[in-house]
Amino acid sequence: MKTIRLSIIGFGAVGQGVARVLRNKRDYLVHLGINLLVVAVTDSHGACIDPDGLDLRAVLQRKKESGTVATSNASSLDVIKNTDHDLVIEATPTDIETGEPGLTHIIESFKHGRHVVTSNKGPLALQYKQLYNEAKKHGVIFRFEATVGGAMPILNLAHDALAGNRIISIEGILNGTCNYILSRMTEESLSYKHVLGEAQDLGIAESDPTYDVEGIDTACKLVILANAIFEMDVMYGDVEVTGITKITSEALSLANVENNVIRLIGEVQDGNKRIMRVAPRLIPKQHPLAVGGTLNVALLKTDTAGPICISGKGAGSMETASAILSDIIVICHKNT
Amino acid sequence: MIISMDLELKDIPGQLVHALIPLSDFGANIMSVLHHHDQPTPSGSIPVQVIFELKNGRLKDIITELEKNDIRVVTVGKKRLYEEVTVILIGHIVHNDMSDTIDQIDNTGFAEVVSISISMPGINEQSSASLVINAEDKNKLIEAMNILKTVAEKKNLLVIEPIENSFE
Ligand SMILES: NC(=O)c1ccc[n+]([C@@H]2O[C@H](COP(=O)([O-])OP(=O)(O)OC[C@H]3O[C@@H](n4cnc5c(N)ncnc54)[C@H](OP(=O)(O)O)[C@@H]3O)[C@@H](O)[C@H]2O)c1
């Protein structure tokens, strides 16, 4: 039995999802020969630390009741630097201006010889190369499946399952909020404003929806795909981005006449015709990319396997935790 | 240039080959052959329609050669516009000189707007339009799309293009 000590940095929807999944899957993990000990959990108020392993049920309960996990005022950075552990799960909010606090958390983790699994897009969309090099320099593993497409295993698919294939291009719907809005507008012939309000009421869109509806979130994910799968070394600013705020219900009806739908598509293509673009596009209704609701989908064009398409839930506490768990297991296996 | 040619062949074996060899000899890229075996002419010949792409302008040579082979060339038509795309525009389309937007494509000579439907919800609101553009070939279509995108950017119109890859 291999014991891996880990910390959960950031205890919101994703961090708590990870805690629940680790509790649910305890026996399964033991069966795989992995004993996971969560030695620290942090949020914006502080940390709780136990070198012998925290009782996650109690931590979840405390977060629910008092709004924080903190039993000490040690910061996330203190935990990363001073608490002895092997693996850091970074799940703090995404900031695409500075990448912080995630960027510093991740780099400090590497410097202290800790592997990192993250769902935070900011650091990757801004400083992919630096992070890649730092991880390599310190001989640790860095994985981030949860940053693109939530539960949809797109990075692992491209790297492992499709090993040996050259990926020629990826087109996909990588933002559930935009997809929900466009699907509803099409189905109900409603205006953008109306459906956005409805999505906000349902908690599908944020009160400030800019990050989603202007295509910024999709662009960040595209940058991660471009860097991680196409080895492009690009940043957020390199993507041509158009959001969905101008889409009218009339445009959707006109598309419908020709048996098309309109969806926000992220597209990345390498080679002599390098493309990195986020834009609303026309898609034939029967095309596999034409998914509805909050679903995400990606179509990978490969040189040997031909086109491969995957679809799944792009967000959600447990769904995102599933992607994080798969990364944790890979690291545990590589580490034995 | 894409050319459509109607021929009449004698109803004896081997005639189709006699008709197609001059085409390939003079560098034509044959795109389709329709053999109307079931519709013979009163004189008993078989009508055949051939569509091909010719880049070197040697159409005269092809016709001469066909006639030498005793094949009747009935009509020669330039079927210029072959590739088609549907795009959607959103913005103040009509206020921004709609006909100019269309002219910019039509004036190229290699592409044209063949149909347009506009939906205008109100005087000061954005309109939406569906445009069908035809062009001589794929590259010309991309060129036409680039012109449209440049014009649209100047007029602050959103262009929604189809995705490129089909799932096949
Ligand atoms: N939710 C999803 O479905 C999803 C899917 C894919 C990726 N992601 C990404 O995953 C990350 C987490 O998302 P989320 O939905 O869990 O966000 P969230 O609910 O807002 O949670 C963020 C957590 O980070 C904590 N935090 C903020 N600043 C911190 C700091 N300096 N040090 C330590 N903790 C700090 C917050 O503390 P408090 O609790 O004290 O406020 C909170 O616990 C984001 O980067 C997001 O983009 C989310």
Side-chain angles (χ1 to χ4, degrees), chain A residues 129-146:
Chain A
K129 203 53 180 253
Q130 189 199 352
L131 293 170
Y132 179 87
N133 289 337
E134 279 296 309
K136 208 168 163 186
K137 185 170 129 194
H138 293 96
V140 291
I141 305 171
F142 180 37
R143 295 185 71 98
F144 40 87
E145 182 63 68

Side-chain angles (χ1 to χ4, degrees), chain A residues 22 54 125 246:
Chain A
L22 292 181
L54 291 158
K246 276 187 161 184

Side-chain angles (χ1 to χ4, degrees), chain A residues 11 16 20 43 56-70:
Chain A
F11 207 58
Q16 292 175 44
R20 283 195 193 92
D43 60 23
L56 289 175
R57 198 187 55 85
V59 177
L60 283 162
Q61 189 70 19
R62 188 161 62 248
K63 179 72 183 169
K64 194 174 159 195
E65 280 164 9
S66 66
T68 176
V69 298

